[in-house]
Amino acid sequence: MDHASIQSLVFGKRGNAIGVSAADLVSELRTGNSLADWASLAPGAEMAIEIKSPYDNVKRLGSQLRDYRSMFPSVTVVVHEKNLRAVSGLTDADRAGLVVVRGTGSRARVELERSPSMHYGDIRLRHLLAVLRMRELAAVVERLSAQTVDASQVSAFLDAERLLEPFDLELVCSEVFNLVRRRRRLPYALAKAKVPIGIRPVLIGIDPPPGTLDYLVDWLAEGV
């Protein structure tokens, strides 16, 4: 089975083996030097998801897992049974959730071998904040620290990291992923609201003041 077939099986109509809502899934989210195949941004259950088909090389999985843990409190690996032994032998894989795809074609089935555990100890604030745009970064800082970061300044990122260090990582994660979730859902919200195709790129490309995007998404796609 190739990557697309496994993805369809795991997230398809036959059942979601990972237990995440499609509305909370985003694809190809950059984390450190790695690119997570999928990420669930569900509040309180944020998770990176890596898929390894029989054709994928699992040698990089160890470094990928370390990158994912530097940003996400939990990680799940989806692997075909042909790669199961190689994945199980990785030291860094023992804390990750494990979903195994067995068989091929119409006889393929998905089994949840191990549920992921939530762990914030490996999260690096710099990796977490790097996923935000400057205005989003300023919004997080202002909301948590009641201090202003000038989003137009080059030093804003370092200022934000310093100001947010005293705060609980779980709280910072919640604020960051909420902003990313809303931003990444915007294209789907625009489609659902039947906004003309020619206007969508303009709306998606805007960098609005803090709070504007929240209202826009809620108005266009309540319940998405």
Side-chain angles (χ1 to χ4, degrees), residues 208-220:
T212 304
L213 189 57
D214 291 357
Y215 289 120
L216 182 60
V217 171
D218 288 340
W219 177 67
L220 289 173

Side-chain angles (χ1 to χ4, degrees), residues 28-38 50 60 64 68:
E28 298 186 336
L29 196 61
R30 173 65 60 182
T31 309
N33 295 318
S34 302
L35 195 67
D37 289 324
W38 290 92
E50 180 65 23
R60 287 190 60 246
Q64 288 176 308
Y68 300 155

Side-chain angles (χ1 to χ4, degrees), residues 125 129 137 141 149 155-165:
L125 192 55
L129 298 181
L137 188 64
V141 172
V149 171
S155 62
F157 183 85
L158 295 178
D159 289 341
E161 186 178 8
R162 174 178 54 81
L163 291 170
L164 292 175
E165 277 182 352

Side-chain angles (χ1 to χ4, degrees), residues 21-177:
S21 168
D24 295 320
L25 284 172
V26 297
S27 62
E28 298 186 336
L29 196 61
R30 173 65 60 182
T31 309
N33 295 318
S34 302
L35 195 67
D37 289 324
W38 290 92
S40 170
L41 302 182
E46 296 87 355
M47 173 173 56
I49 302 167
E50 180 65 23
I51 298 176
K52 292 298 184 185
S53 77
Y55 308 106
D56 290 329
N57 191 328
V58 300
K59 290 182 179 179
R60 287 190 60 246
L61 184 57
S63 62
Q64 288 176 308
L65 291 177
R66 288 190 290 274
D67 279 338
Y68 300 155
R69 290 198 184 101
S70 72
M71 179 173 168
F72 290 91
S74 67
V75 181
T76 288
V77 178
V78 179
V79 60
H80 191 271
E81 60 181 344
K82 290 184 178 179
N83 275 338
L84 181 57
R85 179 175 295 181
V87 169
S88 300
L90 294 173
T91 303
D92 291 319
D94 57 356
R95 281 171 32 212
L98 183 62
V99 174
V100 181
V101 177
R102 302 185 186 278
T104 58
S106 60
R107 295 185 177 182
R109 67 186 189 279
V110 179
E111 297 178 358
L112 177 62
E113 293 280 329
R114 182 174 61 242
S115 297
S117 58
M118 300 290 285
H119 184 71
Y120 291 87
D122 294 330
I123 291 179
R124 297 176 61 187
L125 192 55
R126 180 165 297 188
H127 283 188
L128 183 64
L129 298 181
V131 76
L132 295 177
R133 295 172 178 173
M134 277 300 177
R135 284 188 180 273
E136 294 171 335
L137 188 64
V140 171
V141 172
E142 290 176 6
R143 184 174 302 182
L144 294 181
S145 70
Q147 297 191 47
T148 300
V149 171
D150 187 350
S152 65
Q153 299 297 317
V154 177
S155 62
F157 183 85
L158 295 178
D159 289 341
E161 186 178 8
R162 174 178 54 81
L163 291 170
L164 292 175
E165 277 182 352
F167 291 89
D168 181 69
L169 268 175
E170 186 173 353
L171 179 60
V172 178
C173 282
S174 176
E175 293 288 342
V176 169
F177 286 124

